[in-house]
Amino acid sequence: MAGSKKDINTADAEMDNHLRCIFYIKPKPAPTKCSPFVVEFFGVLSLTDLREPERKLWYIYYCKQSDIEHTVHQIHQKYGKKNMYEIFQKPVFSGAALRASVKKHFAELKWFTKGNLLEAPPKSHFNNERVCKTVTDLRNIEQQRIYNYVLVKSQWYSMYNR
């Protein structure tokens, strides 16, 4: 009597796992929870403190495309809509990675970085245009890293499959 289809699938899976162990092949990766069709955005808002207008503040954020309005609305609720405006918003591969690199870059410049808030030191020469250019450069570096990684993997794959 033939086994059920479910028994055959589990037997195939067990055999696959066994062969992978014998030949030191990496196990099959589990499906990821991330959808490749959902675009993530990274943005920078220029913030003006009405009590101290000489302070230079910027707020960085990242979110999925469908959550942009909600995220920006929450930020406006917290800091006031009149006090800020958008200076940068672009699609990115990983908003968390770009946020970390932006924070690290500005922390190395001796900026005050707390959470998503960036504050330039007093008498700093940075303005909105320079911050926007710096973030754009960091984004381009991140994209170049991803491109190089994919290119190397593609070349390795093409050499391996000859």
Side-chain angles (χ1 to χ4, degrees):
M1 205 177 207
S4 70
K5 190 174 182 177
K6 186 176 182 181
D7 292 338
I8 293 171
N9 287 341
T10 56
D12 288 344
E14 288 177 17
M15 181 58 95
D16 183 51
N17 288 338
H18 182 67
L19 290 173
R20 286 178 181 277
C21 289
I22 290 173
F23 295 109
Y24 301 105
I25 300 172
K26 291 181 183 178
K28 287 183 179 178
T32 61
K33 295 177 184 176
C34 299
S35 171
F37 304 107
V38 177
V39 179
E40 209 169 300
F41 276 78
F42 181 84
V44 180
L45 298 167
S46 178
L47 180 61
T48 305
D49 188 356
L50 295 177
R51 292 170 285 175
E52 297 179 49
E54 65 277 353
R55 284 178 72 192
K56 298 176 183 179
L57 299 166
W58 291 272
Y59 189 91
I60 57 176
Y61 69 92
Y62 66 93
C63 60
K64 294 185 171 45
Q65 185 175 12
S66 59
D67 298 335
I68 290 175
E69 289 182 26
H70 176 68
T71 303
V72 172
H73 180 68
Q74 283 182 330
I75 297 167
H76 283 252
Q77 291 272 328
K78 186 173 182 179
Y79 294 102
K81 193 171 188 171
K82 294 179 185 177
N83 302 339
M84 61 177 36
Y85 59 95
E86 188 109 33
I87 62 169
F88 182 87
Q89 186 183 66
K90 298 277 184 183
V92 294
F93 180 73
S94 171
L98 185 58
R99 177 186 177 268
S101 87
V102 167
K103 280 187 71 169
K104 180 182 174 195
H105 176 79
F106 285 114
E108 289 173 356
L109 294 175
K110 306 292 187 237
W111 281 38
F112 306 108
T113 57
K114 184 177 180 185
N116 290 333
L117 203 59
L118 304 173
E119 182 177 353
K123 300 178 183 175
S124 172
H125 58 278
F126 270 86
N127 56 13
N128 289 338
E129 290 80 24
R130 289 206 56 182
V131 170
C132 185
K133 182 183 179 329
T134 304
V135 172
T136 302
D137 291 344
L138 292 171
R139 178 180 173 266
N140 291 341
I141 290 169
E142 190 74 22
Q143 285 185 324
Q144 187 65 43
R145 272 191 220 130
I146 293 167
Y147 174 78
N148 290 343
Y149 175 78
V150 170
L151 186 66
V152 166
K153 287 294 184 180
S154 174
Q155 288 174 346
W156 179 84
Y157 183 75
S158 66
M159 285 181 4
Y160 180 75
N161 286 328
R162 284 184 183 186

